[in-house]
Amino acid sequence: MKLDLGYGNPGFLQELWKDHSFLNKLNSLQLMPYSFAKTNEINLEKEILKLHNHHKNVKITSQTKVVVSVGAVQALQAAMYALKQLKNTQEIFIPKPYWIRFNDFAELTGLKVSDSTDCGLSLVTSPNNPDGVDQSHIKTDIRDACYNWIHYTDNVKEFDDTVSVFSLSKLSGHSSTRIGWAIVQDESVAKLMQYYVNIIT
């Protein structure tokens, strides 16, 4: 691998370390370049789609895209960023009561939380955080579906919103394992979300 002056990719050090048995046992040589994450994401995407196909908690089609992120928080921010650009809006509607951090996420992406349902962009949590109310009947642009699993609700729905966000921490209880993902039904939204995730990460 050549020296990467644009991104500082450390993969060129593989040659230096490949004779060290300790590193080879850890299989860590392939973890050195940034490109490993992109290669591995393809396999992760397949496993995520298999998981949702089995549990039927989000609609999967041949057009569905998966955007992997550092936790659900980053996926939500990426969705806000992408849809703000595509819908050309400055406001987002979130039904009350909602998780107070949504205000911060909206601010970071240049949005303001509005009380109006006519602002052009919306985010709904199903089941809701903090009160657990079923909000599955509300159509939305962004669905925080982190709790849409059988161990949280007996009313699991197969959502088909533009963006549905999930996280490993809510699925498995491993809160410090910062893996989130979004099931995205629109390729243009997925591309902007991926751009946001890449830049922020």
Side-chain angles (χ1 to χ4, degrees), residues 70-139:
V70 182
V73 164
Q74 191 181 68
L76 287 164
Q77 290 173 344
M80 288 180 186
Y81 168 82
L83 288 164
K84 175 182 184 282
Q85 311 303 314
L86 294 170
K87 288 178 166 274
N88 194 26
T89 184
Q90 303 299 315
E91 297 181 321
I92 184 169
F93 169 72
I94 309 171
K96 293 178 181 176
Y98 55 80
W99 185 37
I100 194 65
R101 297 299 301 276
F102 284 158
N103 275 317
D104 302 325
F105 305 159
E107 269 185 37
L108 284 171
T109 53
L111 288 165
K112 180 182 177 187
V113 176
S114 169
D115 289 330
S116 171
T117 57
D118 298 325
C119 63
L121 181 56
S122 61
L123 185 160
V124 172
T125 304
S126 301
N128 193 34
N129 176 6
D131 61 5
V133 169
D134 178 17
Q135 300 193 106
S136 58
H137 61 286
I138 304 173
K139 184 68 179 166

Side-chain angles (χ1 to χ4, degrees), residues 19-38:
D19 293 329
H20 289 65
S21 60
F22 172 69
L23 288 175
N24 283 329
K25 283 178 185 171
L26 292 176
N27 201 20
S28 61
L29 289 179
Q30 61 179 318
L31 296 174
M32 294 179 79
Y34 291 131
S35 59
F36 177 75
K38 291 179 182 173

